[in-house]
Amino acid sequence: MTEDSRPAPDGPRGYECVKSYLRTLDSSPGVYRMLDSESRVLYVGKARNLKARVSSYSRPSPQHSPRISRMILDTAAMMFLTTRTEVEALLLEQNLIKQLKPRYNVLMRDDKSFPNILVSKDHAFPQIKKHRGARTEKGSYYGPFASAGAVNRTLNQLQKVFLLRNCSDSVFESRTRPCLLHQIKRCSAPCTGHIDAESYTGLVRDAERFLQGKSTDVQGQLAKEMAEASEAMEFERAAAIRDRIRALTQVQGVQGINPRGVAEADIVALHMEGGQACVQVFFIRAHQNWGNRDYYPRLGGVESPTEVLEAFLGQFYSGKEPPRQLLLSHDIEERELMETALGEKAGRKVSILVPQRGEKAELVESASRNARESLARRMSESAAQTKLLAGLAEALDLPAPPSRIEVYDNSHIQGTNAVGGMIVAGPEGFLKSQYRKFNIKGTELTPGDDFGMMKEVLTRRFQRLLKEDPDRQGETWPDLLLIDGGAGQVSAVAEIMADLGVEDVPFVGVAKGIDRDAGKEEFHRPRGRPFALRHNDPVLYFVQRMRDEAHRFAIGAHRQKRAKGVGATPLDDIPGVGAGRKRALLTHFGSAKAVSRADLADLKAVDGISAGLAEKIYDFFHERG
């Protein structure tokens, strides 16, 4: 790849600017960027022939949509990067769009990783669990599932049918009697020897066959085993197998759309209305529906369903492995190119279809209906939210309705495990992907010093904003801050913001008011008298919801931190002692306290602990006295 970058902020604009680059361009494939007079990226595009594509922008044309015409008129410079193939250009284009978020491109939002089910293979009795992120653990992965809820439901079903453990290895090694899951027939209790390794391996094999779509085969095998147990007069075992068959039948009955003719596919349907769009993605794996998720891409003025869907596919699969088939509601212009790019990414053939009849067409129609209904609900909720934001702006004397509200709260118990929480709300409701938690790190804070905690949280938040987006070109700068507290908190926040040099972001403190009753809240602003809203004002309910959501989020983060602290031991602070060696030490000695009292010879006798590490552990405890 080669790049040619010649921004010309003082040169010509619009069509003349674009035309000035034609002399040096050739017919290579590549990616181009259009920049405005302040060198902000307006648009990223790819081309099979860069000179031909740029030439199409160099003069007015009736084929240019209003969006394209505005984009060209805003262009003050261009940048080019040539590639060897058009496929490389497509992949690079999507990476740059996700990184730069240009104004005139279609942008996919809420690009989170999808959870999978992992059947671990590093233990004699494999664990089955939810997994998200890089596939670094040894085992078999099944997914993706649309949400954590879809994974949890499937895991619950698998526990009922196949009795596999979900406890961690450390819990497994430390148990001396079966847990509650065994009592309610959700686990076969391999931890206490209620099942041998060979039989448990058979359960794991059946569970994996179920996840591969072979549930009918599994059911037939279970029926055969039940009959054999009955003939051998092993009626207790036959009854247990009968219960598993019933559970499996129930699972098959509640799985929803389970297509017989589609083994592995993503169904992608688009609906556009009123300048907005919704894309529904259904995940079909092993002939089973593993859930769906909706997306609302930012259109950037795009009006063509073909262009929206093509841009969505490129960005959606830039960080995910595509399935063998994509079933679309609308065709895309460069279907073969997209198939080639996705095939190279997956290392196998990927086909893109727009079915017109049969079961596949019915699946696409179902996804399209969901997209249409989801967008209608969103537009209705957005209208109500817009009205609330306008009312909030009027109540707080803001110049315009806020697009991004950040609400802050702290949570701690007598100063311990202190956590700050930030939630975000806007025209689309609560933006949970934007929530942030702040582990309070200040060592000089007095336990329970809420002012000090708020100072640390806001300082860290706005120092990062000033570093990453000093010109406020992104969408991460707030239009309003809501602080849980009264005049004292507001005064402290005013001092913090002044020290940071950020004095144009309005903020308001929300205090409980008389008797700390909901509905009697008082609002505090810098250099202003406190005021209240009518007890039945919808804006007041809106503020209460945001404050309660911030409180819920902060408490949840605090509880997670506290729970983690409860399970911590001094072994966590020893370099070289990871989870596996920690487990080995605790299994061998029984407790961290016993490890601290062990002599060097006993430490060296533990499996997995080398002589050098044993000396480190011994020195760690004895140097600490």
Side-chain angles (χ1 to χ4, degrees), residues 243-280:
D243 292 341
R244 290 175 58 198
I245 292 174
R246 286 178 178 174
L248 182 56
T249 302
Q250 184 181 11
V251 168
Q252 293 168 331
V254 299
Q255 281 179 332
I257 304 171
N258 291 326
R260 296 181 180 179
V262 181
E264 179 183 330
D266 284 352
I267 303 163
V268 186
L270 166 69
H271 182 74
M272 297 176 64
E273 183 179 338
Q276 299 186 50
C278 175
V279 179
Q280 277 277 347

Side-chain angles (χ1 to χ4, degrees), residues 55-363:
S55 178
S56 70
Y57 294 131
S58 65
R59 57 191 177 278
S61 169
Q63 295 180 344
H64 289 165
S65 66
R67 159 181 161 268
I68 295 295
S69 299
R70 288 197 309 271
M71 180 181 73
I72 296 172
L73 291 175
D74 289 342
T75 300
M78 295 188 71
M79 299 175 66
F80 305 93
L81 198 152
T82 60
T83 59
R84 294 177 301 166
T85 66
E86 192 180 3
V87 171
E88 283 187 7
L90 174 63
L91 298 175
L92 177 60
E93 174 201 34
Q94 300 306 331
N95 287 336
L96 289 175
I97 289 173
K98 292 185 71 172
Q99 176 186 345
L100 301 173
K101 297 179 172 58
R103 174 182 172 187
Y104 287 100
N105 281 99
V106 175
L107 297 180
M108 193 188 81
R109 300 175 177 179
D110 190 27
D111 184 24
K112 295 180 179 177
S113 62
F114 292 98
N116 291 268
I117 286 179
L118 168 62
V119 180
S120 65
K121 295 295 176 66
D122 56 355
H123 195 281
F125 296 93
Q127 174 192 11
I128 185 167
K129 62 181 179 179
K130 177 171 59 181
H131 178 87
R132 193 192 293 269
R135 298 185 175 188
T136 54
E137 293 188 53
K138 184 179 179 181
S140 300
Y141 293 84
Y142 299 92
F145 288 79
S147 64
V151 171
N152 292 336
R153 286 191 295 272
T154 303
L155 287 175
N156 185 45
Q157 294 160 355
L158 290 173
Q159 282 183 319
K160 289 180 181 178
V161 178
F162 302 108
L163 311 179
L164 302 183
R165 73 178 181 97
N166 67 352
C167 58
S168 66
D169 290 348
S170 58
V171 171
F172 180 92
E173 300 294 346
S174 63
R175 291 212 66 86
T176 57
R177 60 181 182 177
C179 66
L180 177 63
L181 287 177
H182 176 70
Q183 306 298 329
I184 62 175
K185 300 180 180 180
R186 297 288 182 87
C187 180
S188 53
C191 55
T192 52
H194 280 64
I195 185 172
D196 58 43
E198 183 179 354
S199 299
Y200 189 84
T201 299
L203 294 178
V204 173
R205 185 170 57 250
D206 287 346
E208 293 197 81
R209 289 167 64 201
F210 172 80
L211 290 170
Q212 292 164 2
K214 301 175 181 177
S215 58
T216 304
D217 295 344
V218 173
Q219 195 165 15
Q221 179 63 33
L222 288 175
K224 181 180 177 181
E225 291 178 9
M226 183 177 68
E228 291 174 352
S230 297
E231 290 177 7
M233 296 187 180
E234 298 177 359
F235 299 117
E236 187 174 342
R237 186 166 76 91
I241 297 173
R242 178 202 61 202
D243 292 341
R244 290 175 58 198
I245 292 174
R246 286 178 178 174
L248 182 56
T249 302
Q250 184 181 11
V251 168
Q252 293 168 331
V254 299
Q255 281 179 332
I257 304 171
N258 291 326
R260 296 181 180 179
V262 181
E264 179 183 330
D266 284 352
I267 303 163
V268 186
L270 166 69
H271 182 74
M272 297 176 64
E273 183 179 338
Q276 299 186 50
C278 175
V279 179
Q280 277 277 347
V281 184
F282 280 75
F283 303 93
I284 305 296
R285 299 294 185 273
H287 296 277
Q288 301 175 52
N289 176 16
W290 283 356
N292 64 296
R293 184 181 289 185
D294 49 5
Y295 294 88
Y296 302 90
R298 195 194 78 187
L299 300 185
V302 176
E303 298 177 355
S304 164
T306 295
E307 189 175 352
V308 173
L309 202 54
E310 186 170 319
F312 175 84
L313 293 176
Q315 294 176 53
F316 185 74
Y317 292 109
S318 64
K320 303 175 180 68
E321 182 177 330
R324 299 181 185 278
Q325 269 191 353
L326 299 181
L327 306 181
L328 308 184
S329 61
H330 299 75
D331 205 354
I332 57 177
E333 289 184 2
E334 299 179 322
R335 191 198 297 190
E336 292 183 3
L337 177 64
M338 185 67 73
E339 286 178 335
T340 303
L342 295 180
E344 286 189 5
K345 178 178 178 58
R348 50 175 165 71
K349 183 179 179 181
V350 174
S351 59
I352 299 177
L353 306 174
V354 186
Q356 301 300 316
R357 55 184 175 273
E359 184 182 36
K360 294 178 180 178
E362 292 175 2
L363 292 170

Side-chain angles (χ1 to χ4, degrees), residues 380-447:
S380 175
E381 293 167 359
S382 179
Q385 189 80 354
T386 299
K387 188 175 181 179
L388 287 172
L389 292 171
L392 183 64
E394 181 180 353
L396 302 181
D397 294 327
L398 302 178
S403 296
R404 181 185 175 96
I405 304 171
E406 294 184 355
V407 191
Y408 292 86
D409 195 9
N410 297 324
S411 183
H412 60 88
I413 294 180
Q414 296 181 344
T416 62
N417 298 310
V419 174
M422 178 193 86
I423 67 122
V424 181
E428 300 169 355
F430 292 120
L431 306 177
K432 296 194 175 183
S433 63
Q434 301 289 311
Y435 287 15
R436 296 292 182 269
K437 66 178 180 180
F438 301 83
N439 290 315
I440 303 300
K441 301 176 181 178
T443 56
E444 299 179 0
L445 291 178
T446 303

Side-chain angles (χ1 to χ4, degrees), residues 14-26:
Y15 296 103
E16 291 299 319
C17 171
V18 175
K19 191 182 295 183
S20 68
Y21 290 94
L22 292 176
R23 296 190 302 273
T24 57
L25 287 176
D26 58 23

